[in-house]
Amino acid sequence: KSVDAAKAGLQATLIIRHPKTNKLFVNFDREILQLIREAKCLRRIGVDIPESAKMVLLQEEQFKKNYHQLKYALAEYDRVTGKIVPVTSHVFEPHLQTLELKLRPGMLTLTWTSMNIDAYKLDIHVGLQRLEELISKVNDILENRIEKNLKIISRSVLVHLPEDESVTLDDFVQMQEKAVRDMTDQLMAKNMEVETAVEDLIALVKNFPLSSQVGAVSELELTQLKKHYNSLTYRALLNCTRNSMNQVKKRVCSRAGSGFLFVQRPFFEVDVQLSVPSVRLSPSLSDVQRAINRSAVAVIGCSKKMWQWGQLDVPEDERVSFFEILGCDLEIIKVALLLTGALHGTKNEISKYLETFKKYDWLWKEDKDNEYRP
């Protein structure tokens, strides 16, 4: 009976799928190993064993080799498919279906007594190797050409704000406009690199040989993937612009000392001048605010030269830039409003400081000849 049960186990398919988890397992009946052990023991003590048991015993090494190689193949299948990044999982569906077709004979027709198991195993390993090469190339593009450049864009600073020197208003504006020009060239290049990388990724996925029984990669999924990284590029540019404007606000409105005029390292060179009949700042707060506003315009204007994707073949004067979206973004509008009103909070402090000169106003308001006439 045990021999008949073992023979029935040899007619089972090579691989089965768990009904709940869909995980693949090698479908090898442990009763076969038990039969082999018993047959060996009986033969040692001189007991004659059935011919069918002898046949199983003769194929012991082949059964064990097939079992371990199939187990390794399924472990490799889990490892390779586990390397797929979630954002690309949908575009890899046809590739996984192609690999599933290679595995299917072991789940439907091939048994442990089939003659073409070696060819089946080879086909699986070749399919796994090709798929892993594709996944590795895609992941390399994602990590080194897309995500790394997106981080560079996001962390870029479009302004130059020295901590250890004071500048005039004209120098400040020129300094920021030059910093924006220099960084714009770099950001334009990074934007182009990311778009090109996504196009290369899509070409890799589309050009991979698929089974004739599997449809081509969905154009909708490829479009969605491209839109996803286009959106991430915009978010990186948004973050860069917002952080740059916040740094300007933080630096020019620093309150490290006792007020706008007395920060430890003043950013603007501001004087108090006599303008009869009063005392005023030179340059005025309005002039300072205008300079800050000009720097904000320059920072936001960086996005005018960063083109939205899908326009590589469009003449440059007809392209649409990220500025069309960035300029309407509520986050940028909020920061811009805060920056354009950056000095409103200092007006009272400035007025209080200028009030301290009133006790001397008799020096220029009153007639000295009349006051000191004997």
Side-chain angles (χ1 to χ4, degrees):
K1 291 182 179 179
S2 62
V3 173
D4 293 338
K7 288 176 64 177
L10 292 175
Q11 299 306 313
T13 57
L14 301 177
I15 297 173
I16 56 172
R17 188 187 299 275
H18 194 284
K20 294 183 179 179
T21 65
N22 282 331
K23 186 175 176 62
L24 298 175
F25 294 93
V26 179
N27 187 27
F28 189 67
D29 190 351
R30 296 288 179 173
E31 291 292 328
I32 298 173
L33 297 178
Q34 179 66 25
L35 171 64
I36 292 173
R37 285 193 295 268
E38 291 176 355
K40 286 181 177 179
C41 292
L42 291 173
R43 192 167 61 177
R44 287 195 192 102
I45 62 177
V47 177
D48 192 28
I49 58 176
E51 286 298 320
S52 55
K54 290 180 182 179
M55 294 300 297
V56 172
L57 196 59
L58 288 173
Q59 298 181 73
E60 175 188 4
E61 293 302 321
Q62 186 66 34
F63 290 147
K64 289 182 177 179
K65 184 182 77 170
N66 288 338
Y67 170 75
H68 290 297
Q69 289 181 349
L70 287 171
K71 187 176 180 181
Y72 172 75
L74 294 184
E76 282 292 282
Y77 174 82
D78 290 337
R79 182 186 65 83
V80 171
T81 55
K83 293 173 64 176
I84 297 176
V85 179
V87 71
T88 60
S89 59
H90 291 299
V91 299
F92 272 116
E93 285 181 359
H95 307 76
L96 294 177
Q97 291 171 10
T98 297
L99 189 57
E100 284 276 340
L101 289 174
K102 294 181 180 295
L103 291 167
R104 186 172 294 175
M107 293 184 277
L108 299 178
T109 57
L110 292 179
T111 67
W112 293 97
T113 58
S114 299
M115 301 297 293
N116 53 346
I117 294 179
D118 288 339
Y120 171 69
K121 292 184 296 185
L122 179 61
D123 195 33
I124 292 175
H125 283 295
V126 170
L128 282 170
Q129 184 179 5
R130 289 177 178 172
L131 181 61
E132 183 174 17
E133 288 177 1
L134 174 64
I135 294 172
S136 296
K137 289 178 181 178
V138 168
N139 289 351
D140 179 65
I141 291 175
L142 288 176
E143 181 179 354
N144 297 309
R145 295 176 58 191
I146 297 178
E147 293 176 0
K148 187 173 289 186
N149 281 327
L150 289 177
K151 288 179 181 178
I152 291 175
I153 294 174
S154 180
R155 296 171 182 175
S156 295
V157 179
L158 299 171
V159 292
H160 176 55
L161 305 169
E163 297 287 338
D164 56 353
E165 63 176 298
S166 299
V167 296
T168 64
L169 295 187
D170 289 339
D171 288 343
F172 168 74
V173 173
Q174 292 174 9
M175 188 182 297
Q176 307 323 313
E177 290 178 346
K178 181 180 183 301
V180 169
R181 283 196 302 271
D182 293 342
M183 288 304 302
T184 297
D185 293 336
Q186 179 179 335
L187 295 182
M188 288 172 61
K190 294 301 176 185
N191 179 42
M192 183 70 71
E193 287 178 24
V194 175
E195 182 177 6
T196 304
V198 173
E199 293 290 350
D200 290 346
L201 186 155
I202 290 175
L204 271 176
V205 172
K206 291 177 68 174
N207 295 332
F208 186 84
L210 299 172
S211 170
S212 58
Q213 301 177 45
V214 176
V217 182
S218 168
E219 288 295 332
L220 176 62
E221 295 296 344
L222 294 175
T223 301
Q224 290 298 325
L225 181 67
K226 192 171 182 179
K227 285 183 178 179
H228 172 73
Y229 282 107
N230 184 28
S231 175
L232 288 185
T233 302
Y234 169 71
R235 294 300 304 179
L237 178 61
L238 174 66
N239 191 59
C240 163
T241 305
R242 183 181 63 241
N243 288 345
S244 298
M245 294 173 70
N246 280 332
Q247 287 196 27
V248 173
K249 182 177 183 298
K250 181 179 178 181
R251 180 68 180 93
V252 300
C253 298
S254 173
R255 297 176 184 270
S258 58
F260 172 71
L261 297 175
F262 300 104
V263 291
Q264 291 178 351
R265 294 181 183 276
F267 191 58
F268 293 119
E269 296 176 353
V270 180
D271 298 322
V272 178
Q273 294 183 350
L274 175 61
S275 179
V276 179
S278 62
V279 175
R280 65 179 179 84
L281 287 183
S282 179
S284 67
L285 277 183
S286 298
D287 293 334
V288 174
Q289 185 64 68
R290 276 193 289 272
I292 294 174
N293 294 349
R294 287 178 61 186
S295 70
V297 170
V299 168
I300 298 176
C302 166
S303 59
K304 289 183 177 180
K305 293 188 177 181
M306 291 188 65
W307 313 118
Q308 296 184 39
W309 290 9
Q311 304 180 89
L312 296 178
D313 299 328
V314 178
E316 191 167 311
D317 57 346
E318 298 179 13
R319 295 181 184 179
V320 179
S321 69
F322 280 112
F323 179 78
E324 310 299 326
I325 312 173
L326 193 73
C328 303
D329 196 290
L330 291 178
E331 292 185 45
I332 293 299
I333 293 174
K334 180 180 177 180
V335 177
L337 289 175
L338 291 173
L339 190 56
T340 53
L343 300 182
H344 287 183
T346 65
K347 283 187 176 181
N348 291 336
E349 295 179 30
I350 298 292
S351 299
K352 288 179 182 178
Y353 177 71
L354 294 180
E355 285 289 328
T356 62
F357 290 92
K358 277 196 172 182
K359 59 185 177 182
Y360 306 109
D361 63 1
W362 57 271
L363 290 172
W364 57 81
K365 282 187 176 181
E366 299 179 4
D367 189 330
K368 292 187 290 294
D369 291 337
N370 290 334
E371 289 293 326
Y372 292 98
R373 181 176 298 171

